[in-house]
Amino acid sequence: MRCPEGMVTNGNAPKRTVVVVEDDRPIGELLAGVINEEAGYRAILLTRPTEALHTMEQVKPDLLVIDVGLPEMSGLELYDRLHEDERLRSVPVIFETAVSREYGPEFRKRGIRKVLQKPFDLNELIADIKELAPPIAA
């Protein structure tokens, strides 16, 4: 199988897979890079919701990081579509947005616990990732 864009496959140690769906490529590359630097994690960067839907047919991530403001469909709509798939319902999600107050009711309705406000602290992102998808014990 071809490695999806942004996937790092160095070494045989088991790693948690984090799918980042971010249409702003520099931000997405920053997020994926920070995640890939963490031992026990690998990131897959996708820039369009349609890529995410297609990739999730082949990959079951341990965690999703989704931008709310995506083209084609919102991050919330992408979340809803992904959660129609029974395989993906239990995958935790971190949303990132510049306007979290505007989406607060929608996050609560879906039971979303982690929302990163842009500009966000990368240390907070890593802490949230480790909380929601702890590293695999060696």
Side-chain angles (χ1 to χ4, degrees), residues 112-131:
I112 302 299
R113 299 180 309 141
K114 298 292 182 182
V115 179
L116 287 177
Q117 178 80 33
K118 291 179 183 179
F120 41 81
D121 180 326
L122 294 174
N123 291 322
E124 182 182 344
L125 170 69
I126 294 302
D128 288 345
I129 287 171
K130 288 181 177 180
E131 177 186 337

Side-chain angles (χ1 to χ4, degrees), residues 1-9:
M1 179 176 101
R2 187 174 79 68
C3 290
E5 173 186 349
M7 185 177 203
V8 173
T9 58

Side-chain angles (χ1 to χ4, degrees), residues 12 15 19 25 29 31 38-39 45 51 55 61-62 64-65 72 76 84 92 95 110 122-123 126 134:
N12 291 328
K15 295 184 179 195
V19 172
R25 184 168 290 281
E29 288 175 352
L31 294 173
E38 286 298 311
L45 172 59
E51 283 180 306
T55 299
D62 296 293
L64 292 163
V65 177
E72 303 165 16
L76 290 167
E84 289 172 5
F95 274 105
R110 290 168 175 83
L122 294 174
N123 291 322
I126 294 302

